[in-house]
Amino acid sequence: MACHQPVQSQKEATTPLLLSSSPSKPLSGEAFNHYHNYAARFFDSLLIRRGGFNGSILVAKNGTIVYEKYCGYTNPSQKKDTFTASSAFHLASISKTFTAMGILKLWQLKKLSLEDTISTYFPHFPYPGITIKMLLTHRSGLPNYTHYLEAYHWDKKKMATNADILNSLYTLHPPLDFPSGKHFAYCNTNYTLLALIIEKVSGETYPDFMKNSFFIPLDMKDTYIRTPANADQAMPSYEWNNRQFPREFLDEVYGDKNVYSTVHDMLKWDQGLYPGPLFTQQTLDSAFAPYSFEKEGKRNYGLGWRMTLLDNGKKLLYHNGWWHGNNAVFIRLIDEDATIIVLGNKFNRKIYSTKYICDLFGKYMQHKEEEEE
């Protein structure tokens, strides 16, 4: 396994590596070594020594990178091209955090209401009463396009677009999975529609809106939205046995997926999600609040964010991703200003056990959890 990590002096390692809107709390050399050594032992055991990991890892505290490592190759079947800090991975469903915060940015600017119905933007939408908030919280009841298109015999030789997903709801009119607003059910269709609403309200394409609203302001130079125009630059993904996943007819739909980014850029995204130039505290409080309570349990969902609500009052904010061979974890511990990011392009189920490193920063993993996308 080819693994490497940047060589940093103690001064470099204990100084925040980016402009952060979170409180600046420089780390002492002793604190840095504590976090670094714990993370190194954890990931060596979980992913690196016997885990077959192929991707990038970053752990940060107070905006300071305390551990990062790059293992494997962009093409593991040929052991070709090792990863670097600028290697952009498909974030899969972590992309939903960008879509959700894009909607909330427009809400903060008073350009839309979360209680707007979808018919406000798409006249005669065939499922009345569904609101933007229901899409954000996965409470719409809409069927998942990743399932029903195939069931309705979509021509797989044709690449589906967001407009196709919207049109299919009109023309195919698949039945709701449950009455809108009744409960939570994770559904990619919700976020394809949110991307279209962003385009309607902003007057920009979804890729341009993300670039102008987030990627440029946060200096996320290696982050982009995959489109047909840049599909060839997108890093391919692989099965556990190094077989490359071919392109398929759902690969160009965005909003629910198709943000490509690096661990460094994702740290910048994390730091932009504290009160500051991009978002007010009110907006962030709305994003990170739970909205589904009809089922008992510690897990919940905010406006684009998964969360675990612990008995000790702590809240673990995160989102996982999984599309083809890409799987990823993005964890934010806002009480401690700690960030954990793992991005891979070769399927590895162990990546989802990354959450157990949260106890490095506080009492988070008080019980075992099942894996989830």
Side-chain angles (χ1 to χ4, degrees):
M1 173 67 67
C3 289
H4 64 95
Q5 59 190 70
V7 177
Q8 296 176 325
S9 69
Q10 183 173 328
K11 180 179 179 181
E12 290 172 329
T14 56
T15 302
L17 301 182
L18 50 89
L19 293 175
S20 168
S21 58
S22 66
S24 177
K25 301 175 184 176
L27 295 177
S28 67
E30 181 180 3
F32 173 86
N33 290 334
H34 169 67
Y35 293 125
H36 173 83
N37 293 338
Y38 187 107
R41 290 193 301 270
F42 177 88
F43 285 111
D44 281 351
S45 174
L46 177 68
L47 294 176
I48 295 171
R49 285 204 304 266
R50 296 183 301 275
F53 176 65
N54 200 73
S56 303
I57 305 169
L58 184 148
V59 179
K61 168 68 174 166
N62 300 350
T64 298
I65 297 172
V66 296
Y67 175 84
E68 63 179 311
K69 201 150 193 176
Y70 304 89
C71 293
Y73 307 88
T74 59
N75 186 336
S77 64
Q78 299 179 8
K79 294 187 176 181
K80 181 180 178 182
D81 299 327
T82 55
F83 294 117
T84 69
S86 60
S87 298
F89 293 78
H90 189 178
L91 300 181
S93 283
I94 297 174
S95 304
K96 292 180 174 70
T97 68
F98 289 93
T99 304
M101 299 314 294
I103 288 286
L104 291 178
K105 185 68 174 179
L106 294 171
W107 174 64
Q108 182 174 284
L109 295 171
K110 302 187 185 306
K111 294 188 176 182
L112 56 75
S113 169
L114 300 187
E115 302 304 327
D116 286 344
T117 61
I118 309 310
S119 59
T120 303
Y121 304 96
F122 308 117
H124 311 296
F125 187 70
Y127 306 88
I130 296 177
T131 65
I132 289 177
K133 189 174 183 179
M134 290 179 188
L135 298 181
L136 287 167
T137 56
H138 292 295
R139 299 178 65 84
S140 71
L142 289 170
N144 200 326
Y145 77 88
T146 60
H147 301 151
Y148 75 74
L149 281 186
E150 189 163 1
Y152 282 79
H153 306 294
W154 176 271
D155 181 1
K156 293 184 180 180
K157 295 179 181 178
K158 177 187 176 184
M159 299 296 286
T161 66
N162 287 58
D164 289 326
I165 305 306
L166 175 62
N167 290 336
S168 73
L169 295 172
Y170 284 91
T171 58
L172 301 177
H173 200 247
L176 289 173
D177 288 342
F178 56 86
S180 300
K182 288 298 183 181
H183 62 82
F184 169 90
Y186 191 84
C187 176
N188 291 295
T189 306
N190 295 324
Y191 278 73
T192 67
L193 297 180
L194 288 170
L196 291 173
I197 291 172
I198 286 173
E199 293 182 333
K200 277 266 188 178
V201 174
S202 70
E204 299 178 273
T205 65
Y206 177 84
D208 283 345
F209 178 85
M210 290 295 153
K211 180 179 179 180
N212 294 329
S213 299
F214 301 141
F215 304 161
I216 290 177
L218 292 171
D219 196 32
M220 299 172 68
K221 294 181 180 178
D222 295 310
T223 301
Y224 64 95
I225 310 297
R226 172 179 166 154
T227 66
N230 61 22
D232 288 340
Q233 84 175 74
M235 186 191 303
S237 70
Y238 298 82
E239 297 183 26
W240 63 272
N241 60 2
N242 292 335
R243 187 174 71 178
Q244 183 175 336
F245 274 89
R247 291 187 186 180
E248 67 154 79
F249 71 104
L250 300 177
D251 280 345
E252 303 301 346
V253 180
Y254 50 64
D256 60 327
K257 59 183 185 301
N258 269 337
V259 178
Y260 281 69
S261 191
T262 69
V263 289
H264 275 231
D265 278 3
M266 287 303 290
L267 178 57
K268 295 176 182 179
W269 177 230
D270 163 77
Q271 295 294 281
L273 294 172
Y274 288 91
L278 288 183
F279 299 106
T280 65
Q281 185 67 63
Q282 178 188 7
T283 298
L284 296 171
D285 288 344
S286 296
F288 305 146
Y291 292 92
S292 294
F293 295 99
E294 61 279 343
K295 182 179 179 181
E296 291 187 6
K298 292 179 169 61
R299 289 185 182 175
N300 215 298
Y301 204 89
L303 302 180
W305 296 90
R306 291 191 183 274
M307 61 190 68
T308 303
L309 307 172
L310 301 176
D311 293 337
N312 61 11
K314 287 192 174 294
K315 182 189 295 182
L316 192 161
L317 288 172
Y318 69 103
H319 217 296
N320 294 338
W322 183 356
W323 183 253
H324 299 333
N326 306 287
N327 54 335
V329 172
F330 180 41
I331 298 172
R332 307 186 65 237
L333 308 177
I334 55 179
D335 285 350
E336 294 84 9
D337 190 5
T339 319
I340 303 152
I341 305 160
V342 180
L343 308 177
N345 76 327
K346 174 184 170 182
F347 179 73
N348 187 327
R349 193 176 298 276
K350 292 183 178 181
I351 285 176
Y352 299 118
S353 293
T354 293
K355 58 182 172 285
Y356 293 106
I357 199 178
C358 291
D359 281 341
L360 170 58
F361 302 102
K363 294 183 178 180
Y364 282 95
M365 301 314 301
Q366 300 172 327
H367 61 288
K368 287 284 185 179
E369 291 188 335
E370 296 178 359
E371 295 167 353
E372 61 188 12
E373 182 269 341

